[in-house]
């Protein structure tokens, strides 16, 4: 082990022994900043209800704390220079399988936070373009309107991108793309031989944006659950053992470090 690495390890040990993560976070940030920063990070927020159970709170409060945490995380990703962030907030599967009351509460929360995004100084100062990705037709009118208002309010920005996956399903997205391809073929806009990866990518909900370099999922589950099914073909996947409401900046930095180490190792 080199002297640098030894120093890093002992500082990390000292920092945690003191119960103070500040030093470790600072060190980690320095390390991460010297490597390639992913241009697109996907985040599967998971574990809100289990966290609420552990905290002995009603489960819907887990979602509220989760939404608060998301606001903080947005500051972190922008500060790190991550240009595109895609957040898996509500899957079609969750909408169909969870109790109506819970889905309604989540949708209400999404509506409330989308309205906040419309006037959020962060969005306007950092020029973040908000985009809803998902099957809009499945959303109640008022929720869709709030999300679309956030899209409209930020439509002129292109420095950063925030994609909100709501009523999203990876298979549904591929069905959506397939229908579009079929329509184009039927109208004579394209011939079968014109169908290629570029065309499919351009028709996905994230069309025009790069594929995610890194996808993070919290709560210890190791699957993508259909998140960005087409776009995630070459993404690095990092599964973290923390519930979303307790996700710390250190966790984000660690995930980026893992991404950097893997791309170094595999010559990416
Ligand atoms: C996953 O935890 C979280 C959700 C299904 C909802 C998350 C939505 C928000 C935090 C609102 C975000 C706001 C905007 C504007 C996008 P879980 O319920 O699956 O928890 P569990 O795994 O413990 O059951």
């Amino acid at each position: 082990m080199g002297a640098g690495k030894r120093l890093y390890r002992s500082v990390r040990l000292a920092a945690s022994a003191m119960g103070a993560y500040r030093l470790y976070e600072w060190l980690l940030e320095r390390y991460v900043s010297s490597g390639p920063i992913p241009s697109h990070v996907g985040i599967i927020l998971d574990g809100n209800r289990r966290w609420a159970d552990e905290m002995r709170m009603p489960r819907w409060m887990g979602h509220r704390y989760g939404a608060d945490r998301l606001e903080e995380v947005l500051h972190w990703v922008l500060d790190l220079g991550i240009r595109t962030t895609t957040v898996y907030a509500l899957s079609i599967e969750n909408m169909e399988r969870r109790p109506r009351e819970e889905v309604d509460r989540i949708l209400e929360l999404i509506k409330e936070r989308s309205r906040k995004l419309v006037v959020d100084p962060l969005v306007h100062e950092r020029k973040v373009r908000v985009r809803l990705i998902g099957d809009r037709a499945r959303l109640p009118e008022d929720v869709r309107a709030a999300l679309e208002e956030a899209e409209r309010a930020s439509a002129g920005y292109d420095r950063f991108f925030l994609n909100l996956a709501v009523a999203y399903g990876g298979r549904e997205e591929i069905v959506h793309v397939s229908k579009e391809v079929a329509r184009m073929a039927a109208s004579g806009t394209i011939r079968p031989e014109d169908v290629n990866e570029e065309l499919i990518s351009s028709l996905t909900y994230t069309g025009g944006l790069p594929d995610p370099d890194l996808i993070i999922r919290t709560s210890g589950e190791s699957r993508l659950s259909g998140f960005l099914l087409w776009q995630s073909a070459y993404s690095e996947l990092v599964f973290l053992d923390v519930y979303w409401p307790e996700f710390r900046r250190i966790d984000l930095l660690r995930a980026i470090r893992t991404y950097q180490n893997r791309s170094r190792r595999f010559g990416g």
Side-chain angles (χ1 to χ4, degrees):
M1 196 192 296
K5 214 163 188 180
R6 251 198 324 270
L7 174 71
Y8 173 79
R9 285 236 168 120
S10 11
V11 171
R12 184 185 153 178
L13 215 75
S16 56
M18 288 185 301
Y21 277 92
R22 289 245 166 265
L23 185 57
Y24 177 44
E25 186 177 339
W26 176 81
L27 207 65
L28 205 51
E29 180 162 8
R30 269 183 56 136
Y31 179 89
V32 157
S33 308
S34 66
I37 295 296
S39 68
H40 183 174
V41 174
I43 307 178
I44 305 175
L45 352 159
D46 198 12
N48 288 349
R49 296 183 302 182
R50 278 169 283 167
W51 179 81
D53 288 346
E54 275 193 10
M55 295 292 140
R56 296 173 194 281
M57 286 176 184
R59 289 184 141 192
W60 62 266
M61 277 185 74
H63 295 312
R64 202 152 266 286
Y65 275 91
D68 292 346
R69 183 47 46 122
L70 179 59
E71 286 175 8
E72 270 184 87
V73 173
L74 281 180
H75 283 89
W76 304 340
V77 295
L78 297 182
D79 287 346
L80 284 166
I82 295 167
R83 275 199 86 201
T84 304
T85 305
T86 301
V87 174
Y88 205 2
L90 186 61
S91 67
I92 291 175
E93 203 189 347
N94 280 349
M95 287 179 83
E96 287 174 348
R97 297 206 182 149
R98 294 200 177 187
R100 189 69 248 162
E101 200 195 324
E102 187 193 344
V103 174
D104 285 347
R105 273 192 188 271
I106 297 174
L107 287 168
E108 196 57 36
L109 187 59
I110 290 173
K111 182 172 80 179
E112 174 197 305
R113 298 304 164 107
S114 303
R115 286 183 177 156
K116 221 171 145 191
L117 281 175
V118 173
V119 291
D120 192 334
L122 186 77
V123 168
H124 299 288
E125 280 160 20
R126 310 294 286 272
K127 309 249 178 284
V128 184
R129 181 163 184 180
V130 179
R131 192 189 289 195
L132 161 63
I133 66 163
D135 184 5
R136 296 170 190 237
R138 290 177 196 256
L139 291 171
E141 187 55 43
D142 56 338
V143 179
R144 190 169 72 223
L147 282 156
E148 288 179 349
E149 188 54 36
E151 288 188 312
R152 259 193 309 277
S154 62
Y157 302 150
D158 63 359
R159 202 181 295 160
F160 292 99
F161 299 89
L162 170 63
N163 302 320
L164 302 175
V166 182
Y168 177 88
R171 288 187 175 178
E172 188 285 325
E173 182 177 31
I174 289 173
V175 169
H176 159 86
V177 170
S178 310
K179 282 184 183 159
E180 198 48 41
V181 170
R183 260 184 231 117
M184 290 167 89
S187 68
T189 320
I190 52 163
R191 294 160 301 158
E193 52 272 30
D194 296 327
V195 180
N196 54 28
E197 290 187 18
E198 282 69 40
L199 177 70
I200 304 287
S201 291
S202 71
L203 296 173
T204 60
Y205 292 133
T206 56
L209 295 172
D211 289 339
D213 307 291
L214 167 66
I215 295 180
I216 301 170
R217 181 175 189 152
T218 55
S219 94
E221 307 291 348
S222 320
R223 49 179 192 280
L224 288 180
S225 304
F227 184 50
L228 302 176
L229 204 49
W230 171 270
Q231 300 90 327
S232 63
Y234 299 102
S235 308
E236 290 295 341
L237 310 178
V238 173
F239 301 105
L240 297 174
D241 217 359
V242 292
Y243 295 137
W244 175 252
E246 63 189 6
F247 183 84
R248 300 158 305 175
R249 194 158 173 273
I250 281 180
D251 298 311
L252 175 67
L253 292 169
R254 274 185 181 150
I256 298 173
R257 183 183 58 184
T258 304
Y259 155 81
Q260 292 177 337
N261 289 344
R262 284 188 201 159
S263 33
R264 254 181 229 126
R265 234 179 306 134
F266 298 119

